[in-house]
Amino acid sequence: MPKLVEVLSSPELDHDCRSDGIAAVVSALDSTADEGATCLQVFSSSIDGAAALLACSVNVTAALVHTLQQSGSHPSCPAAIAAMQCLANLSRTHKGVQAALQAELPLSITETVKQVQVCKGEDLWRQQLCTAAAACLQHMCQHTDARPAVQAAGAIPLLAQLCDLDRWSMEVVRYASAALASIAVGPDVKLQWETFEAAGTALMALLKCSDSAAAGNAKLAIRNTCDHPKARIALQKVMKEDAAEYLQGLPDLPPDFRYHVPKAAVTY
């Protein structure tokens, strides 16, 4: 397989030969999933390699998602880990995100990570797979048209769980908190409230993290969710005066949220 990656990466190889070689590796996923997925993962680590996979005549993303699904109750297998890592590389571009949405990658990620959480065994493979899964979701959450699919797949509560520093590596937490910061951007206030409701507690805990990237992601995520009035009020109740730091620049709350007039006090 290392030799095959070297051949596929050769600048002297023409487009058609490279595409045929990639197609051969993809077809081998059914019989030698570990080796095939690892080959694709290594090849996708470069920008040119990822672009070649996405331009191939066969649907590499769909094949990798199928490999992920085939791992079923055994996500610790090398094929599942390599497939997820390759998908993380492919989803760095808009074309890769579109391919991921067509292959229903967000749903496959949530199902796989849920399975990971109940599996027993050593921790290394668990961290590797969830790092790649969180990276995939973070890449997709940067795209407006992908956020609804991430939400519909139930990934927001999952991302909140991946922000637990007691269980996950700092790399997993960085990607998960960045995904939460990205998904709460935009005019969809329902999505902002859902994000705060599912992940607000985890994000506030991360504010005290010694890692500046994770803490910064948490701060940005909280700030973005607080575009929703209910999220802002909830934050103020918990953080009191400290909440002001995260609310700077936000417009005033609508009157319905700022004032509560008891019905009994209304006279005619």
Side-chain angles (χ1 to χ4, degrees):
M1 281 299 176
K3 184 65 176 177
L4 181 55
V5 173
E6 183 180 343
V7 172
L8 291 175
S9 303
S10 173
E12 299 176 1
L13 196 66
D14 64 49
H15 176 271
D16 290 339
C17 289
R18 181 176 288 108
S19 182
D20 289 343
I22 293 170
V25 176
V26 171
S27 65
L29 287 173
D30 291 331
S31 56
T32 55
D34 291 352
E35 292 81 1
T38 300
C39 178
L40 293 172
Q41 183 270 323
V42 174
F43 186 61
S44 70
S45 59
S46 70
I47 295 175
D48 289 342
L53 292 179
L54 291 170
C56 183
S57 56
V58 298
N59 192 329
V60 177
T61 299
L64 289 167
V65 170
H66 178 70
T67 300
L68 203 58
Q69 294 169 339
Q70 290 295 101
S71 67
S73 59
H74 303 286
S76 60
C77 66
I81 297 169
M84 190 73 84
Q85 290 172 334
C86 186
L87 288 164
N89 292 336
L90 296 181
S91 62
R92 290 177 297 190
T93 66
H94 178 72
K95 186 175 183 179
V97 169
Q98 294 305 309
L101 292 176
Q102 291 175 4
E104 299 184 345
L105 177 58
L107 184 59
S108 293
I109 289 176
T110 55
E111 291 174 348
T112 301
V113 174
K114 286 177 182 178
Q115 191 63 45
V116 167
Q117 292 176 323
V118 299
C119 284
K120 297 181 180 180
E122 63 180 60
D123 192 53
L124 178 60
W125 70 266
R126 204 184 313 270
Q127 299 293 344
Q128 290 175 333
L129 194 145
C130 286
T131 296
C136 282
L137 292 173
Q138 192 257 328
H139 296 157
M140 285 187 282
C141 286
Q142 292 177 327
H143 294 257
T144 304
D145 50 352
R147 291 170 194 154
V150 173
Q151 177 193 24
I156 296 177
L158 192 72
L159 287 167
Q161 294 169 14
L162 294 179
C163 286
D164 185 354
L165 282 169
D166 292 333
R167 186 172 186 184
W168 302 108
S169 69
M170 189 60 70
E171 194 173 8
V172 174
V173 172
R174 287 189 195 121
Y175 279 123
S177 56
L180 290 169
S182 296
I183 201 169
V185 174
D188 190 345
V189 291
K190 290 183 179 179
L191 187 53
Q192 292 163 356
W193 170 241
E194 181 179 332
T195 303
F196 186 89
E197 194 173 30
T201 301
L203 291 169
M204 283 186 274
L206 269 186
L207 294 173
K208 300 177 182 179
C209 179
S210 59
D211 183 79
S212 59
N217 290 340
K219 182 176 180 178
L220 181 60
I222 290 173
R223 169 62 177 75
N224 291 341
T225 60
C226 282
D227 278 341
H228 193 290
K230 289 174 68 176
R232 195 187 311 185
I233 291 171
L235 181 72
Q236 290 171 327
K237 286 181 179 179
V238 175
M239 300 193 71
K240 310 298 182 185
E241 294 82 2
D242 293 337
E245 179 182 353
Y246 308 98
L247 305 179
Q248 293 177 0
L250 288 174
D252 291 337
L253 288 171
D256 288 350
F257 286 91
R258 281 185 287 162
Y259 309 111
H260 173 64
V261 180
K263 292 182 179 181
V266 180
T267 57
Y268 298 95

